[in-house]
Amino acid sequence: MRKDYIFTSESVSEGHPDKVSDRISDAVVDHFIAKDPFARVACETLTTTNKVVLSGEVRGPVQEDKEEIISKVRDCIKDIGYEQDGFHWKTADIQYLLHGQSADIAMGVDSSSDKDEGAGDQGIMFGYACNETTELMPAPIFYSHKILEIMAKGRKDGSLKGLEPDSKSQVTLKYVDGKPNAVTSVVISTQHADGLSPADVKEIVNPALKESIPEELLKNLDDKEYYVNPTGNFVIGGPDGDTGLTGRKIIVDTYGGAAPHGGGAFSGKDPTKVDRSAAYASRYLAKILLLLVYVISVLYSCLMQSV
């Protein structure tokens, strides 16, 4: 592998239409698992202009809990921050189409006298870890996430006024000798209050950029390669601007393209869906292996110094 190269990764905010859908699907999973740790849930969510559609299979009190789940969907939308004419937590039409799990699927998953609990499906899962950041994540996706995390915090606490929930980021890094050396490009696109220009929005998000990425990586960033809302106005956003679906941001949810991906999404699935549980387990094992390599290298270094 080359040791000098350029690599880029993107992230999307909690207000991105697909992430709104992911959040809602996971709220449905949380609801049933909280009531029964062995509940089975496969929830898919579609979001569009002032409408949410819940569909999927559940083993649990599906119809009995309908109103409670719809209320939790509204809580999700409210927490994200959508109070807009085109998508509002109070007025959104929520269509509830959840139904009971297929008996054929249940037969393959449930444990019995002659077999252990099974997986809900076949699949390929990858785990990955690296020493580029303290969280053992690849630097481009980590910094892309961090920018949006700080923007969301500032939007909610009022320190970054004028921002709305829907946003995306992309960070491009130059690697030298296999290590992050410098940020070569940053793109931030964010929904904003009406009347703000791209220059205004750039001034608002500058603190988030500087807080997210170490100064030594940003020092050579050319302002011409720092793009904020490069296409212009971004007032209409979220599900009102673009339809959202559960499971469409699988690379954002993992390693930003720095590692292989089996193709399965995480959100809306209980632990019998190995797309989720096995991917989490693989990530855990990758971190353990990386830490073991580090410990062994330190011990070896100490041993050599003592010889």
Side-chain angles (χ1 to χ4, degrees):
M1 291 181 64
R2 290 186 302 168
K3 291 191 173 182
D4 298 346
Y5 57 94
I6 300 290
F7 195 81
T8 188
S9 296
E10 72 157 352
S11 180
V12 297
S13 71
E14 61 178 349
H16 185 281
D18 295 330
K19 279 289 128 194
V20 175
S21 296
D22 284 347
R23 169 80 175 268
I24 291 171
S25 291
D26 278 337
V28 174
V29 175
D30 289 347
H31 172 86
F32 286 105
I33 295 292
K35 290 195 169 187
D36 176 6
F38 297 100
R40 303 286 184 255
V41 187
C43 177
E44 307 289 345
T45 302
L46 177 146
T47 55
T48 186
T49 301
N50 227 27
K51 186 181 291 292
V52 176
V53 180
L54 298 177
S55 65
E57 303 78 46
V58 176
R59 188 193 306 174
V62 184
Q63 295 306 319
E64 296 90 328
D65 287 11
K66 176 179 177 180
E67 294 307 319
E68 188 178 354
I69 291 171
I70 288 175
S71 177
K72 289 183 177 181
V73 171
R74 297 194 188 281
D75 289 342
C76 286
I77 299 169
K78 182 179 181 181
D79 185 66
I80 292 169
Y82 277 113
E83 296 185 341
Q84 302 166 3
D85 290 342
F87 198 69
H88 198 297
W89 64 273
K90 274 187 180 180
T91 60
D93 172 30
I94 301 174
Q95 295 188 11
Y96 185 91
L97 304 177
L98 296 171
H99 59 83
Q101 185 187 55
S102 158
D104 291 343
I105 293 176
M107 180 175 61
V109 172
D110 291 345
S111 59
S112 62
S113 58
D114 62 342
K115 72 178 184 69
D116 294 330
E117 181 177 87
D121 201 352
Q122 66 195 46
I124 304 169
M125 298 84 201
F126 293 88
Y128 182 76
C130 62
N131 61 3
E132 294 177 12
T133 61
T134 55
E135 285 73 12
L136 308 184
M137 286 289 286
I141 187 69
F142 175 76
Y143 294 132
S144 294
H145 285 331
K146 197 68 178 176
I147 290 169
L148 299 183
E149 178 187 335
I150 292 171
M151 284 171 55
K153 181 177 180 296
R155 172 174 58 84
K156 290 180 176 181
D157 67 22
S159 60
L160 298 179
K161 297 183 184 298
L163 301 184
E164 297 292 343
D166 190 1
S167 55
K168 301 178 74 171
S169 63
Q170 183 174 344
V171 174
T172 303
L173 275 166
K174 178 182 179 182
Y175 283 73
V176 175
D177 197 24
K179 298 178 181 179
N181 177 266
V183 172
T184 61
S185 177
V186 174
V187 182
I188 301 173
S189 296
T190 180
Q191 186 184 14
H192 58 83
D194 196 9
L196 295 177
S197 68
D200 296 330
V201 177
K202 190 171 188 176
E203 186 174 348
I204 294 169
V205 303
N206 273 338
L209 173 68
K210 293 176 181 177
E211 187 178 343
S212 303
I213 303 177
E215 185 178 356
E216 62 269 20
L217 293 178
L218 277 178
K219 62 184 179 182
N220 294 323
L221 178 63
D222 188 335
D223 192 61
K224 293 181 180 178
E225 294 297 326
Y226 172 29
Y227 307 92
V228 176
N229 286 12
T231 59
N233 219 31
F234 189 0
V235 174
I236 300 171
D240 186 30
D242 193 10
T243 299
L245 292 170
T246 301
R248 279 206 302 203
K249 288 293 175 284
I250 58 177
I251 301 302
V252 172
D253 287 342
T254 52
Y255 310 106
H261 195 291
F266 300 157
S267 294
K269 300 175 181 179
D270 71 74
T272 65
K273 280 71 173 176
V274 286
D275 284 334
R276 183 172 212 165
S277 54
Y280 291 174
S282 299
R283 162 69 173 165
Y284 176 77
L285 290 172
K287 291 196 293 183
I288 294 297
L289 288 171
L290 185 63
L291 291 171
L292 282 174
V293 169
Y294 173 74
V295 169
I296 291 170
S297 66
V298 170
L299 291 174
Y300 179 78
S301 178
C302 291
L303 179 63
M304 295 303 293
Q305 290 177 10
S306 64
V307 172

